[in-house]
């Protein structure tokens, strides 16, 4: 007897327990690690998503903005549910639901019908459009399609429709964020530059950052300085909106007028050079005032640099309150350093976050032992290496570029560390290695409220060291022998 | 099954009031969009026993739909839960990443050893689009086999680009299957195919038919009580409730499709005496195939809530001898008092509360009676990706004149909820926080909201506890600020 394809019939087999035991041990060996690192084609548990997810995050950061996915509807559902799960908040976005006929005739008809419906039903002030795979492959011409839509009167000619090509087979979510933000700013600032005008404000760009606490922390620091600012792509209200019995589809975001006027800013500061590269490159050429791009302010030294840069850009003294805050952070750090000193970590994440983790750990006397990026560049590798070279604790640490979390698993089971810094997806490797996972990155699907605790700035440093040290102390209390279980730690 | 239907009415809901609510929700639409939406929204005609809405049609571009795609139906629903296979998301990195661990189809086994709840992808880059990904696929299949020697097979689940650039995954799979001597199943489930997840279920069923079924046989002789359980995905451990329940009733459950599933047992399912199907929408195709080809009858059951479980078990027993009938009655007699105790505890807290549902292809009808067991009434229900036969089956379950919605848009859902003011909404993650912002208690009814199981006698107490927790949580009292 054979099946439909004439495939041979075999008996149902059961796993041999001895063989299961052998493989279970084998995947923890050096031999397996070598085999694992020799992979050429298969990617297992990657730590990055695709471009449109980042584009959607940027699009959510503006007033009345409805993210619009040009492509298959399933893509839009995936991006939305990822943001829903991470923030535990709504993520309203639409798609134009392209299907097979779109592949044959192109996506213009879907785009036009979609723009008209979304505009009519959800009454947005702006619809940033970005693409998933399908239109990228069939070669849809968004420039022409959108122009045609406006000529046909599908949406008003002056309605802002920034658009970005965000192919999923190129880059990662951070590049989609960058491409979308660039297009939004290009669209909104068009024709708004006024010779001699200065808003007197700082334009701040956070980069791809899904921690709403960070956004609030940046604002608090600027307010301490008394510096007026326009926070570009400000998702803090969108993804941390009050529950008061009324659903607001557009609960916050950067005001479109402010974004438009940002081109006349006194200064523009982008944080995270990897997720803002294109946007910053364009701003540097076209925006009035001063410009700077800096690493995200993780840890004391990088926060110092951030604060001094703001003082420098605005010629203002550093407020006493921030000086005191720095002192308190240093106090907290020295109080707790003994619980982190010499501890080894494996870390992975987006380039800008990764740089932040490395400098924070080195500052604490901890060791960023395995540093892994699943979508990185030579430039990033050099930059991380420079941080390692500048510290005594950086010796013996290794950078793994363009490796995934199955590689990470091999690393932590063969060459152990005390903890992993990453996101929810690292929980399998952490469990297998029997070490804690610190969910500082994106996404977090399995712990509550972490995105409300800032990681940047002086208070971010305190939050990170508190999470890490107390976890280590919990482990000690839970696992130590009875005779070493003591009142004080 | 020409049972006399008891017509249920809900105070304040008439055909007219429901129609007026529908009309009002569509006012904001363009003429064209309204025309397209009208056939998908209607008051239920309970007595008719047939669908009151159109379904399985394209989503209107530009509305906020909850639907996913064919790939989601294949990876997330049908193939993904088979625990001892490597499932490769073939194409760019995103699809596999988004669907990694987000359905809650739990699995036994050791991760990475004989269970593979991981994210395997070919992570297409520009060059793979330009030159094709077939070579890469061939390499990665060998790598997967090498690194995971206990994997019983590999499924290759195509993402959009694969079909668009004209790769031939079928020929690569065929060749590699021969070389590696394991089943490799190509599944052309590109996301742009069809109108929802549903086509992905169908395509996956077809690939199981072509590549899997009939390729294994059980070493032990087949007995009269050997059955298979289809359309049970082990969400939050559901199968670990339903499989033992059927076993307690005297059956041997030879395979589960596909929750905590084992490829080889699925492949030998053509030997069983009866297929028991829970999620009809996603697996009726294979029931029909096995019926035609192997003469295996099938029966559709409902494991939500004691009333439906009791009914279902008796229906099932009817197909067997006195031995089974006696066992089933003993099981019912054993659990009935336990379930009554659950009802006695929760019904006073939930009596007369109302619910709106919007889920995938089964629960909008299958859970209706479980709420009723707790004294609650479902006042609106609909599906993301059901077909006419699902809506036919829904008519009798839902109270007369209540609103039925197909592929509802977020705007319509919000309007209906605002009008009906339900005490609970059961739907998905994309809807959850919207309604919670409105102050409406909510449970995710795709994933059991990180709880479960909800199926069977083991599940009902958890279901009741969760529904009570959602509705009666004191936290909702804090929503209205005193200032």
């Amino acid at each position: 007897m054979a099946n439909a394809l004439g495939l041979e019939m075999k008996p149902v087999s059961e796993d041999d327990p001895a063989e299961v035991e052998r493989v279970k041990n084998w995947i923890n060996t050096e031999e397996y690690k070598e085999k694992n690192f020799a992979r050429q084609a298969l990617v297992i548990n990657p730590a990055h998503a695709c471009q449109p997810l980042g584009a959607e995050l940027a699009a959510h950061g503006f007033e009345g903005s409805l993210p619009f996915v040009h492509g298959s509807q399933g893509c839009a559902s995936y991006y939305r549910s990822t943001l829903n799960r991470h923030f535990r908040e709504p993520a309203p976005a639409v798609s134009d639901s392209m299907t097979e006929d779109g592949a044959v005739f192109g996506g213009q008809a879907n785009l036009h019908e979609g723009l008209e419906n979304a505009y009519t039903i959800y009454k947005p002030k702006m619809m940033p459009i970005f693409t998933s795979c399908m239109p990228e492959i069939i070669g849809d011409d968004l420039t022409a399609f959108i122009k045609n839509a406006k000529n046909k009167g599908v949406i008003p000619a002056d309605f802002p429709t920034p658009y970005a090509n965000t192919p999923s087979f190129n880059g990662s979510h951070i590049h989609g964020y960058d491409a979308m933000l660039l297009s939004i700013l290009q669209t909104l600032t068009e024709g708004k530059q006024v010779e001699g005008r200065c808003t007197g404000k700082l334009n701040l760009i956070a980069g791809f950052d899904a921690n709403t606490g960070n956004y609030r922390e940046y604002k608090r620091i600027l307010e301490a300085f008394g510096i007026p600012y326009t926070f570009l792509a400000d998702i803090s209200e969108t993804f941390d909106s009050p529950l008061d019995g009324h659903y607001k589809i557009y609960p916050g975001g950067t005001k479109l007028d402010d974004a438009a006027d940002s081109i006349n800013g006194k200064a523009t500061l982008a944080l995270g050079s990897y997720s803002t590269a294109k946007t910053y490159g364009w701003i540097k050429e076209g925006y009035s005032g001063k410009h700077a791009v800096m690493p995200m302010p993780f840890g004391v030294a990088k926060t110092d640099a951030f604060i001094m840069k703001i003082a420098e850009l605005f010629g203002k003294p550093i407020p006493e309150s921030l000086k005191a805050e720095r002192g308190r952070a240093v106090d907290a750090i020295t109080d707790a350093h003994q619980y982190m000193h010499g501890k080894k970590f494996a870390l992975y994440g987006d380039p800008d976050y990764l740089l932040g983790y490395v400098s924070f750990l080195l500052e604490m006397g901890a060791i960023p032992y395995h540093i892994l990026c699943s979508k990185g560049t030579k430039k990033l590798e050099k930059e991380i290496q420079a941080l390692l070279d500048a510290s005594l604790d950086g010796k013996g640490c290794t950078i793994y570029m363009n490796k995934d979390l199955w590689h990470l698993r091999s690393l932590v089971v063969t060459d152990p560390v005390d903890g992993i810094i990453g996101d929810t997806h690292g929980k399998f490797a952490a469990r297998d290695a029997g070490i804690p996972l610190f969910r500082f990155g994106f996404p977090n699907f399995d712990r509550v409220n972490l995105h409300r605790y800032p990681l940047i700035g002086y208070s971010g440093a305190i939050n990170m060291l508190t999470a890490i040290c107390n976890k280590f102390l919990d482990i000690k209390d839970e696992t130590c022998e009875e005779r070493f279980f003591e009142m004080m730690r | 099954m020409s049972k006399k239907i008891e017509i249920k009415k809900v105070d304040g809901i008439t055909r007219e009031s429901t129609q007026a609510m529908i009309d009002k929700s569509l006012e904001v639409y363009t003429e064209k969009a309204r025309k397209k939406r009208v056939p998908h929204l209607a008051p239920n005609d309970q007595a008719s026993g047939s669908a009151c809405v159109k379904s399985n049609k394209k989503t209107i571009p530009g509305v906020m739909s909850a639907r996913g795609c064919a790939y989601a139906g294949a990876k997330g629903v049908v193939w993904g839960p088979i625990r001892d296979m490597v499932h490769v998301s073939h194409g760019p990195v995103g699809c596999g990443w988004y669907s990694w661990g987000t359905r809650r189809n739990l699995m036994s086994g050791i991760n990475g050893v004989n269970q593979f709840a991981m994210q395997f992808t070919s992570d297409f880059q520009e060059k793979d689009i330009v030159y094709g990904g077939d070579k890469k696929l061939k390499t990665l299949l060998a790598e997967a086999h090498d690194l995971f020697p206990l994997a019983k097979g590999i499924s290759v689940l195509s993402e959009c680009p694969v079909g668009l650039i004209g790769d031939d995954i079928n020929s690569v799979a065929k060749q590699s299957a021969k070389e590696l001597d394991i089943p490799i199943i190509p599944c052309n489930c590109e996301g742009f195919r069809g109108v929802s997840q549903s086509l992905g279920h169908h395509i996956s069923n077809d690939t199981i038919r072509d590549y899997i079924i009939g390729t294994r046989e059980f070493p032990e002789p087949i007995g009269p009580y050997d059955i298979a359980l289809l359309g049970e995905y082990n969400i939050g451990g559901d199968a670990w409730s339903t499989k033992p329940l059927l076993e307690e009733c005297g059956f041997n459950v030879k395979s589960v499709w596909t929750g905590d599933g084992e490829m080889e047992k699925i492949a030998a399912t053509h030997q069983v005496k009866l297929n028991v199907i829970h999620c009809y929408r996603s697996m009726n195709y294979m029931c029909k195939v096995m019926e035609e080809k192997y003469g295996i009858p099938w029966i559709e059951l409902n494991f939500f809530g004691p009333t439906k479980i009791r009914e279902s078990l008796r229906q099932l027993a009817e197909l067997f001898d006195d031995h089974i009938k006696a066992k089933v009655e003993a099981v019912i007699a054993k659990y009935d008092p336990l379930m009554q105790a659950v009802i006695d505890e929760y019904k006073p807290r939930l009596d007369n509360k109302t619910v709106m549902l919007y889920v995938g292809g089964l629960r909008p009808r299958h859970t209706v009676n479980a709420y009723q067991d707790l004294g609650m009434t479902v006042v609106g229900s609909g599906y993301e990706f059901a077909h006419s036969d699902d809506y036919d089956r829904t008519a009798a379950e839902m109270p007369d004149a209540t609103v039925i919605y197909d592929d509802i848009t977020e705007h319509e859902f919000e309007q209906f909820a605002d009008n009906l003011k339900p005490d609970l909404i059961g739907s998905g993650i994309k809807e959850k926080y919207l309604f919670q912002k409105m102050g409406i208690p909510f449970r995710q009814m795709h994933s059991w909201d990180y709880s479960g199981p909800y199926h069977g006698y083991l599940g009902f107490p958890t279901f009741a506890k969760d529904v009570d927790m959602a509705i009666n949580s004191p936290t909702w009292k804090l929503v209205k600020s005193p200032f």
Side-chain angles (χ1 to χ4, degrees):
Chain A
M1 196 172 162
N3 94 326
L5 287 181
L7 297 171
E8 184 195 348
M9 175 98 79
K10 296 176 183 172
V12 170
S13 63
E14 293 289 340
D15 281 343
D16 172 8
E19 182 62 3
V20 173
E21 193 59 27
R22 184 193 69 80
V23 174
K24 189 179 145 193
N25 294 324
W26 177 57
I27 65 170
N28 294 339
T29 60
E30 279 291 338
E31 179 201 338
Y32 188 87
K33 181 177 130 189
E34 261 174 47
K35 210 183 240 303
N36 190 16
F37 272 78
R39 267 188 279 141
Q40 296 295 315
L42 180 63
V43 171
I44 310 168
N45 300 350
H48 65 280
C50 60
Q51 285 207 54
L53 177 70
E56 181 167 333
L57 188 81
H60 277 298
F62 291 85
E63 172 200 15
S65 170
L66 182 65
F68 187 107
V69 181
H70 178 48
S72 309
Q73 70 203 9
C75 312
S77 285
Y78 276 146
Y79 317 142
R80 292 181 63 202
S81 50
T82 301
L83 298 173
N84 294 139
R85 290 183 177 115
H86 173 77
F87 294 108
R88 300 185 194 237
E89 292 283 324
V94 297
S95 91
D96 56 13
S97 299
M98 280 174 74
T99 53
E100 277 126 327
D101 44 2
V104 180
F105 303 113
Q108 177 159 262
N110 284 68
L111 182 75
H112 287 187
E113 197 179 339
L115 286 173
E116 184 175 24
N117 283 331
Y119 179 77
T120 314
I121 301 169
Y122 301 105
K123 301 181 175 47
K125 291 187 177 165
M126 170 168 81
M127 281 193 275
I129 302 165
F130 50 99
T131 50
S132 64
C133 288
M134 190 178 176
E136 287 298 326
I137 300 218
I138 63 176
D140 273 0
D141 181 356
L142 277 179
T143 314
F145 289 3
I146 294 169
K147 203 168 150 202
N148 296 343
K150 292 188 173 177
N151 286 341
K152 268 172 55 186
V154 168
I155 44 169
D158 60 351
F159 182 79
T161 47
Y163 61 94
N165 290 98
T166 48
S168 302
F169 42 83
N170 199 330
S172 78
H173 52 280
I174 68 165
H175 304 100
Y177 169 91
D178 194 15
M180 190 76 256
L181 180 58
L182 171 62
S183 173
I184 291 172
L185 295 180
Q186 284 175 334
T187 303
L188 294 177
T189 60
E190 200 186 339
K192 302 287 181 184
Q193 196 154 34
V194 179
E195 190 64 33
R197 172 169 164 73
C198 176
T199 62
K201 293 202 239 175
L202 172 73
N203 302 314
L204 190 72
I205 299 172
F208 182 96
D209 191 347
N211 181 312
T212 54
N214 282 351
Y215 290 73
R216 297 194 191 287
E217 189 63 9
Y218 285 124
K219 291 184 202 178
R220 201 179 59 77
I221 291 170
L222 293 176
E223 279 154 21
F225 266 103
I227 290 175
Y229 59 87
T230 294
F231 205 145
L232 296 166
D234 178 6
I235 57 151
S236 61
E237 298 300 315
T238 319
F239 289 119
D240 189 13
S241 70
L243 197 164
D244 59 8
H246 302 282
Y247 170 61
K248 293 181 201 70
I249 182 169
Y250 310 113
T254 313
K255 296 258 181 278
L256 300 191
D257 288 344
D258 290 346
D261 210 7
S262 67
I263 197 163
N264 302 306
K266 182 167 180 181
T268 301
L269 181 56
L271 298 161
S273 63
Y274 292 88
S275 67
T276 62
K278 281 186 186 164
T279 305
Y280 181 71
W282 176 77
I283 282 176
K284 205 172 58 176
E285 298 306 316
Y287 266 40
S288 306
K290 297 174 186 164
H291 324 103
V293 60
M294 300 186 80
M296 294 180 72
F298 276 75
V300 172
K302 284 198 155 69
T303 302
D304 290 346
F306 169 67
I307 287 191
M308 289 189 289
K309 176 60 84 178
I310 292 170
E312 176 206 316
L313 289 171
F314 280 76
K316 281 210 166 198
I318 292 168
E320 289 305 316
S321 66
L322 290 180
K323 287 183 186 165
E325 211 174 287
R326 183 187 191 280
R328 281 195 294 273
V330 172
D331 188 60
I333 286 171
T334 48
D335 287 349
H337 76 276
Q338 66 193 61
Y339 307 109
M340 265 177 84
H341 191 94
K343 291 276 198 258
K344 284 181 176 175
F345 289 84
L347 19 147
Y348 68 90
D350 297 339
D352 296 310
Y353 259 67
L354 213 42
L355 284 165
Y357 301 153
V358 172
S359 34
F360 166 70
L361 290 175
L362 290 172
E363 217 164 53
M364 292 297 302
I367 303 166
Y369 194 60
H370 304 303
I371 303 165
L372 183 138
C373 186
S374 91
K375 200 80 193 168
T377 57
K378 280 259 175 265
K379 180 172 166 274
L380 174 66
E381 191 171 345
K382 270 194 193 157
E383 207 173 333
I384 296 174
Q385 193 58 55
L387 288 174
L388 295 174
D389 291 345
S391 164
L392 277 178
D393 297 314
K395 283 192 187 46
C397 300
T398 314
I399 303 164
Y400 301 91
M401 208 44 76
N402 299 316
K403 294 288 180 271
D404 54 45
L405 300 187
W406 193 249
H407 293 118
L408 182 85
R409 187 193 180 283
S410 275
L411 292 172
V412 294
V413 296
T414 55
D415 194 356
V417 291
D418 298 292
I420 300 179
I421 296 177
D423 64 84
T424 287
H425 292 119
K427 71 191 289 183
F428 292 88
R431 183 176 156 101
D432 287 350
I435 51 176
L437 169 68
F438 301 100
R439 292 158 175 81
F440 296 155
F442 169 84
N444 163 33
F445 290 160
D446 62 341
R447 293 293 184 270
V448 296
N449 286 334
L450 294 181
H451 65 279
R452 292 190 164 103
Y453 288 84
L455 302 172
I456 60 103
Y458 300 124
S459 58
I462 298 177
N463 285 338
M464 285 193 288
L465 79 90
T466 304
I468 292 172
C469 293
N470 285 343
K471 184 71 196 176
F472 286 154
L473 291 170
D474 281 343
I475 291 172
K476 191 164 197 172
D477 274 349
E478 285 157 15
T479 59
C480 71
E481 278 179 50
E482 192 71 25
R483 62 198 173 122
F484 290 118
F485 185 68
E486 40 180 328
M487 191 59 75
M488 293 180 293
R489 291 288 184 202
Chain B
M1 292 223 295
S2 59
K3 248 190 325 180
K4 179 130 175 57
I5 300 169
E6 179 211 342
I7 299 295
K8 291 176 279 187
K9 297 272 185 194
V10 181
D11 277 353
I13 294 182
T14 61
R15 295 188 68 79
E16 291 69 32
S17 71
T18 297
Q19 192 57 55
M21 178 178 79
I22 292 168
D23 294 345
K24 190 163 176 295
S25 77
L26 297 179
E27 271 171 12
V28 63
Y29 287 32
T30 63
E31 189 57 39
K32 187 179 171 190
R34 183 159 44 238
K35 233 169 131 179
K36 285 188 181 179
R37 284 301 300 156
V38 162
H40 297 270
L41 308 163
N44 186 34
D45 182 353
Q46 200 195 356
S48 72
S50 65
C52 63
V53 293
K54 279 214 165 117
S55 54
N56 198 32
K57 300 279 181 232
K58 278 185 202 167
T59 299
I60 304 177
V63 300
M64 232 173 281
S65 164
R67 277 179 168 176
C69 62
Y71 163 87
K75 157 82 189 293
V77 178
V78 178
W79 280 107
I82 301 180
R83 72 174 192 234
D84 54 7
M85 293 180 76
V86 165
H87 305 289
V88 178
S89 296
H90 188 41
V93 71
C95 312
W97 192 85
Y98 302 118
S99 56
W100 174 17
T102 49
R103 184 164 177 243
R104 302 201 65 236
N105 48 272
L106 304 185
M107 294 181 185
S108 332
I110 305 165
N111 190 249
V113 176
N114 59 355
Q115 175 259 78
F116 307 97
M118 297 146 76
Q119 201 304 58
F120 298 93
T121 178
S122 39
D123 190 15
F124 264 28
Q125 301 300 307
E126 200 106 34
K127 64 179 192 313
D128 301 310
I129 302 291
V130 177
Y131 300 110
D134 285 347
K135 227 176 118 188
K136 190 176 205 178
L137 178 60
K138 191 171 181 340
T139 310
L140 76 82
L141 290 170
E143 288 173 353
H145 182 56
D146 206 22
L147 287 166
F148 306 102
L150 298 183
K152 297 284 169 59
I154 303 174
S155 72
V156 180
L157 310 172
S158 293
E159 301 167 7
C160 287
V162 172
L164 294 169
I165 62 175
D167 271 11
D168 187 359
I169 63 165
N170 298 52
S171 107
V172 175
K174 193 171 172 185
Q175 201 191 347
S176 293
K178 198 177 281 173
E179 286 172 21
L180 304 174
D181 195 27
I182 52 165
I184 296 175
I185 295 91
C187 186
N188 301 103
C189 54
E190 287 86 352
F192 59 79
R193 296 187 195 278
V195 304
S196 69
Q197 293 93 313
S198 184
L199 189 64
H201 308 148
H202 198 156
I203 292 168
S204 303
N205 276 231
D206 287 350
T207 53
I208 293 181
R209 176 195 65 203
D210 293 343
Y211 290 91
I212 298 285
I213 197 82
T215 62
R216 293 289 183 279
E217 58 190 349
F218 293 108
E220 64 278 5
I222 295 301
Y225 310 125
D226 286 5
I227 63 170
L229 177 57
L230 275 66
E232 162 61 272
Y233 298 105
N234 201 34
I235 307 303
D238 280 339
W240 299 328
S241 165
T242 48
K243 187 170 179 269
L245 173 60
L246 290 167
E247 284 162 355
E248 205 177 340
C249 293
F251 297 101
N252 301 315
V253 181
K254 303 294 282 184
S255 63
V256 180
W257 293 44
T258 51
D260 198 23
E262 294 159 90
M263 192 204 77
E264 297 191 354
K265 291 181 180 170
I266 289 168
T269 301
H270 62 288
Q271 293 182 297
V272 302
K273 299 294 184 196
L274 177 79
N275 280 321
V276 167
I277 184 164
H278 201 246
C279 179
Y280 170 86
R281 178 71 271 129
S282 56
M283 285 203 166
N284 73 84
Y285 319 97
M286 273 310 291
C287 284
K288 290 168 185 169
V289 164
M290 285 189 268
E291 184 174 40
E292 270 170 38
K293 189 161 180 197
Y294 304 103
I296 305 173
W298 56 280
I299 183 173
E300 203 183 334
L301 300 183
N302 181 343
F303 290 119
F304 290 105
T307 308
K308 285 290 176 184
I309 301 173
R310 192 187 308 120
E311 253 178 58
S312 290
L313 293 179
R314 286 188 174 139
Q315 271 175 17
L316 180 61
E318 276 305 309
L319 305 176
F320 290 87
D321 57 13
D322 288 345
H323 164 72
I324 291 287
K325 286 192 181 105
K327 282 211 146 202
V328 161
E329 286 309 319
V331 164
I332 292 172
K334 172 179 161 191
Y335 287 101
D336 260 356
L338 299 174
M339 295 303 109
Q340 191 55 48
V342 172
I343 291 170
D344 291 344
E345 181 177 355
Y346 292 106
K347 194 171 173 181
R349 298 166 61 85
L350 297 171
D351 217 12
N352 297 317
K353 301 279 187 197
T354 57
V355 194
M356 286 178 78
L357 298 174
Y358 179 61
V359 206
L362 174 81
R363 289 142 182 180
R365 65 171 176 279
H366 256 38
T367 60
V368 170
N369 215 97
Y371 290 104
Q372 223 162 278
D373 283 339
L374 296 169
M376 300 168 66
T377 307
V378 182
V379 294
S381 194
Y383 302 86
E384 267 181 42
F385 50 75
H387 300 203
S388 253
D389 45 0
D390 299 299
Y391 284 101
D392 288 342
R393 291 161 160 78
T394 310
E397 302 294 329
M398 284 293 288
D400 197 52
T402 52
V403 64
I404 305 292
Y405 27 82
D406 177 65
D407 185 23
I408 197 171
T409 70
E410 215 164 271
H411 166 77
E412 294 156 13
F413 205 175
E414 195 188 328
Q415 296 267 308
F416 294 170
D418 197 42
N419 190 290
L420 295 170
K421 306 249 175 314
D423 298 296
L424 178 73
I425 294 180
S427 188
I429 187 74
K430 298 190 288 302
E431 294 75 45
K432 181 179 173 88
Y433 301 106
L434 183 170
F435 291 115
Q436 290 192 172
K437 293 283 181 203
M438 289 169 74
I440 303 176
F442 189 101
R443 291 293 299 174
Q444 293 182 64
M445 288 302 285
H446 297 266
S447 69
W448 309 150
D449 226 321
Y450 321 124
S451 173
Y454 282 177
H455 286 177
Y457 289 125
L458 192 66
F460 183 65
T462 309
F463 171 76
K465 179 173 70 72
D466 287 353
V467 168
D468 174 55
M469 175 173 71
I471 293 178
N472 293 314
S473 162
T475 57
W476 297 113
K477 294 201 178 80
L478 303 172
V479 172
K480 203 174 148 30
S481 162
F483 50 86

